[in-house]
């Protein structure tokens, strides 16, 4: 459809789901049995047929300066609902809450005569997909980390324009092994910037492991996976709070868009505000359970009934009987993992009598630590040559004949000979076993990393983090702990036991 400033990706989304398209001129010449729209704006009135206006976002919370009638809520503007006295209202205004019907009546009594509360189809899909949360977190590679999602709407007051550096600031501040970050960007903002410019602007955060959620469906899967949300005044927070009671933090600064007294305004006034990125943990801890969840109820009614209500109304408009069988809402797809993951870390290590507290941050995003730990084969040569600890992970089996592979001890010995600044080199064999050599020692160490058991779940630490603990321990103590009992690798509030002993010939000879 002509006239949209943000329609660049619309056709590709339709193509991805297998939907047919028509040239706009041809569509305007046809008469349709039903015209489903999610906005009253643009030239949709040129399409002939019964119009059904569906919910767009969570409620009517924003007024767009310079657009339509002054101070009208976007989506409830009489200038768009009834462009002229001769225009018939839509056949159905499908709304999510009775309060929205009252607001529509105040804005356009004629339109309100055709309004019905049907609930929110997007929220219904989110609620139906809640049991897939563990699978979404596996797909994202979240593990035991706390997943913090940032949500940015579009326009001059959105998070990405007012605080463009926040994703990278959080990535620099939050320990990598304790937190994972994801970002949801409104499709309008993505369309305005384009994928190239967006990813260039976010490059430091993406290099640090930020997940950039897809704009179609995937954003909702990431919301379900989240442990906490940092939001501006976009409606993503309403969906999050309606579906869960996990912490919400307000990153919105006062502006002209958010309508006072709207559901989103109520929600943001009741949750903690985010100051500098360094205060994020305090802001999350300040969230009062139940606050966001209760505020979001003002935006949604008929929970779990949206599909059936909408089906009933639409079939009535068509003069048809709805199907007798129930059609459940489609479940949301699994999200995609981060496209980039850090391969070098500034490791801050605090050695005590029984172990090492390890705090890893992506290299170059903050002050240097106790040592630089670098994954060989995944980082630049400059970083490899600067590493105090160099490690490799298991390689994928080669499909070709005549494959050549290093042994664990052989690779470690080779790495130490090639890189004179490296003090320790280690090969990760499995999540529970590594082989490590220290410069100046003849033999190799076997590093056994034990898992934790928490409330019926197995929690594993990244073996590279455990190797940093061992590297720091050996730098301070030289040699295995007394009594062969091992040492503790402390990550946040979790302690993982690490057994350190001389490697057997079988362990040293493992292929990597």
């Amino acid at each position: 459809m002509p006239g949209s400033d943000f329609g660049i990706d619309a056709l590709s989304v339709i193509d991805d789901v297998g939907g047919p398209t028509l040239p706009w001129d041809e569509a305007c010449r046809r008469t349709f049995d039903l015209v489903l729209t999610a906005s009253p704006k643009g030239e949709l009135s040129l399409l002939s047929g019964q119009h059904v206006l569906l919910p767009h976002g969570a409620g009517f919370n924003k007024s767009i300066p310079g657009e339509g009638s002054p101070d009208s809520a976007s989506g409830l503007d009489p200038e768009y609902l009834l462009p002229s006295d001769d225009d018939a209202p839509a056949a159905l205004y499908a709304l999510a809450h009775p309060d929205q019907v009252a607001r529509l009546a105040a804005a356009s009594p004629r339109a309100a005569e055709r309004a019905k509360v049907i609930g929110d189809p997007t929220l219904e899909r989110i609620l139906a997909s809640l049991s897939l949360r563990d699978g979404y977190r596996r797909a994202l590679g979240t593990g035991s980390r706390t997943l913090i999602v940032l949500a940015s709407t579009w326009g001059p007051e959105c998070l990405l324009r007012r605080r463009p550096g926040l994703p990278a600031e959080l990535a620099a501040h939050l320990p990598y092994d304790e937190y994972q970050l994801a970002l949801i960007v409104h499709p309008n903002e993505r369309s305005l910037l384009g994928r190239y410019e967006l990813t260039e602007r976010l490059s430091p955060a993406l290099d640090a492991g930020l997940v950039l959620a897809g704009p179609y469906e995937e954003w909702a899967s990431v919301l379900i996976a989240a442990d906490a949300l940092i939001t501006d005044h976009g409606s993503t927070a309403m969906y999050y709070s309606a579906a869960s009671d996990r912490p919400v933090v307000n990153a919105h600064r006062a502006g002209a868009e958010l309508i006072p007294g709207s559901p989103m305004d109520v929600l943001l006034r009741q949750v903690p505000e985010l100051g500098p990125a360094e205060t994020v943990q305090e802001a999350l801890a300040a969230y009062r359970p139940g606050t966001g969840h209760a505020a979001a109820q003002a935006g949604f009614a008929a929970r779990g009934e949206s599909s059936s209500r909408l089906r009933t109304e639409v079939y009535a408009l068509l003069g048809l009987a709805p199907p007798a069988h129930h059609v459940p809402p489609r479940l949301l797809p699994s999200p995609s993992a981060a496209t980039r993951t850090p391969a070098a870390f500034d490791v801050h290590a605090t050695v005590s009598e029984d172990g090492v507290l390890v705090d890893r941050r992506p290299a170059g995003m903050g002050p240097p630590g106790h040592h630089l730990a670098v994954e060989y084969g995944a980082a630049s040569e400059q970083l490899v040559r600067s590493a105090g600890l160099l490690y490799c992970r298991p390689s994928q089996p080669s499909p070709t004949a005549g494959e050549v592979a290093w042994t664990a001890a052989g690779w470690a010995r080779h790495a130490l000979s090639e890189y004179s600044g490296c003090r320790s080199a280690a090969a990760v064999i499995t999540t529970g076993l590594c082989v490590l050599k220290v410069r100046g020692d003849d033999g190799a160490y076997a590093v056994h990393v034990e898992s934790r058991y928490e409330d019926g779940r197995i929690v594993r630490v990244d073996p590279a983090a455990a190797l940093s603990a061992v590297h720091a321990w050996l730098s301070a103590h030289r040699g295995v702990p007394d009594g062969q009992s091992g040492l503790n690798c402390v990550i946040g509030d979790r302690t993982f036991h690490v057994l350190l002993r001389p490697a057997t010939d079988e362990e040293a000879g493992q292929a990597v």
Side-chain angles (χ1 to χ4, degrees):
M1 185 187 79
S4 174
D5 295 329
F6 311 107
I8 294 176
D9 297 323
L11 291 178
S12 63
V13 171
I14 295 172
D15 185 61
D16 286 344
V17 299
T21 59
L22 286 175
W24 180 248
D25 290 343
E26 181 180 346
C28 290
R29 292 193 298 268
R30 291 193 179 188
T31 297
F32 299 93
D33 295 310
L34 203 65
V35 179
L36 300 175
T37 71
S39 171
K41 302 176 185 179
E43 300 180 357
L44 292 169
S45 61
L46 299 178
L47 297 177
S48 298
Q50 298 186 96
H51 284 234
V52 173
L53 184 61
L54 299 172
H56 176 84
F60 304 97
N61 302 296
K62 294 169 63 176
S63 177
I64 310 301
E67 177 184 275
S69 306
D71 300 323
S72 286
S74 181
L76 289 179
D77 191 337
E79 184 172 321
Y80 296 109
L81 294 172
L82 297 170
S84 73
D85 291 339
D86 296 332
D87 287 326
L92 172 64
Y93 292 87
L95 300 176
H97 193 277
D99 287 350
Q100 296 173 11
V101 178
R103 293 178 66 188
L104 179 62
S108 175
R110 289 181 61 203
E113 293 173 359
R114 305 285 184 89
K116 295 284 182 67
V117 175
I118 63 104
D120 189 288
T122 299
L123 178 61
E124 185 164 344
R125 292 189 67 193
I126 292 174
L127 294 175
S129 303
L130 290 178
S131 63
L132 278 65
R133 172 177 162 84
D134 285 351
Y136 295 158
R137 291 173 68 86
R138 282 194 297 271
L140 292 169
T142 304
S144 61
R145 294 181 291 176
T146 296
L147 173 57
I148 300 177
V149 174
L150 294 85
S152 176
T153 186
W154 64 282
E157 296 181 13
C158 74
L159 185 149
L160 272 188
R161 296 206 204 176
R162 288 195 164 184
R163 302 188 69 172
L166 183 60
E169 292 166 10
L170 290 172
H173 170 68
L174 295 170
Y176 180 80
D177 294 298
E178 298 176 55
Y179 294 91
Q180 183 183 35
L181 294 173
L183 174 65
I184 295 171
V185 181
H186 193 286
N188 284 3
E189 202 69 13
R190 296 178 73 117
S191 181
L192 184 67
L193 292 174
R195 183 174 64 179
Y196 175 80
E197 183 172 352
L198 177 63
T199 54
E200 283 298 298
R201 291 187 181 190
L202 294 172
S203 188
L206 292 171
D207 288 342
L210 175 77
V211 174
L212 182 58
Y216 177 67
E217 297 187 311
E218 187 174 304
W219 67 269
S221 305
V222 172
L223 269 192
I224 292 173
D227 294 299
L229 181 72
I230 298 173
T231 183
D232 55 18
H233 58 311
S235 61
T236 300
M238 291 285 288
Y239 288 116
Y240 181 75
S241 295
S244 70
D245 186 23
R246 299 185 179 95
V248 178
V249 172
N250 175 12
H252 178 61
R253 298 292 184 264
E257 294 184 353
L258 185 60
I259 297 174
S262 65
M264 191 66 202
D265 178 58
V266 173
L267 189 152
L268 291 180
R269 288 179 184 276
Q270 295 184 6
V271 300
E273 293 186 14
L274 178 66
E278 294 76 18
T279 64
V280 62
Q281 287 117 319
E282 290 82 357
L284 293 173
Y287 176 81
R288 299 190 308 277
T291 302
H293 195 60
Q297 302 312 303
F300 304 103
R303 291 163 59 103
E305 301 177 19
S306 178
S307 295
S308 60
R309 288 193 179 199
L310 182 60
R311 186 180 301 111
T312 298
E313 296 294 339
V314 165
Y315 272 84
L317 290 176
L318 294 172
L320 300 173
H325 62 279
H326 173 68
V327 180
R330 288 187 299 112
L331 299 179
L332 294 165
S334 288
S336 299
T339 55
R340 313 177 200 173
T341 53
F345 294 93
D346 284 313
V347 183
H348 300 263
T350 303
V351 182
S352 64
E353 291 183 1
D354 62 351
V356 182
L357 174 65
V358 172
D359 180 342
R360 297 194 301 170
R361 313 292 173 98
M365 299 198 75
H370 174 274
H371 63 273
L372 179 68
V374 179
E375 180 181 350
Y376 183 81
S380 69
E381 181 71 5
Q382 179 182 7
L383 287 169
V384 170
R385 290 197 174 276
S386 301
L389 167 65
L390 197 59
Y391 60 92
C392 70
R393 297 188 187 271
S395 60
Q396 296 297 319
S398 172
T400 59
E403 177 187 355
V404 176
W406 286 105
T407 65
W411 180 85
R413 185 167 51 250
H414 166 75
L416 291 172
S417 67
E418 285 290 309
Y419 300 101
S420 59
C422 178
R423 185 177 186 280
S424 302
V428 177
I429 309 300
T430 66
T431 56
L433 174 64
C434 308
V435 172
L436 176 141
K437 282 187 66 66
V438 177
R439 186 175 298 281
D441 288 359
D442 292 334
Y445 292 104
V447 180
H448 290 270
V449 186
E450 296 182 1
S451 301
R452 284 175 54 93
Y453 294 87
E454 298 178 358
D455 299 325
R457 295 190 176 203
I458 301 172
V459 180
R460 298 184 176 93
V461 67
D462 181 354
L467 286 172
S468 278
V470 172
H471 172 83
W473 173 275
L474 292 175
S475 297
H477 293 281
R478 300 292 301 183
V480 299
D482 293 338
Q484 303 281 317
S485 60
L487 61 124
N488 291 323
C489 171
V490 182
I491 305 288
D493 59 359
R494 288 186 168 96
T495 298
F496 298 88
H497 189 69
V498 180
L499 177 63
L500 180 65
R501 57 166 177 76
T504 65
D505 290 343
E506 182 180 358
E507 290 166 336
Q510 291 283 330
V512 296

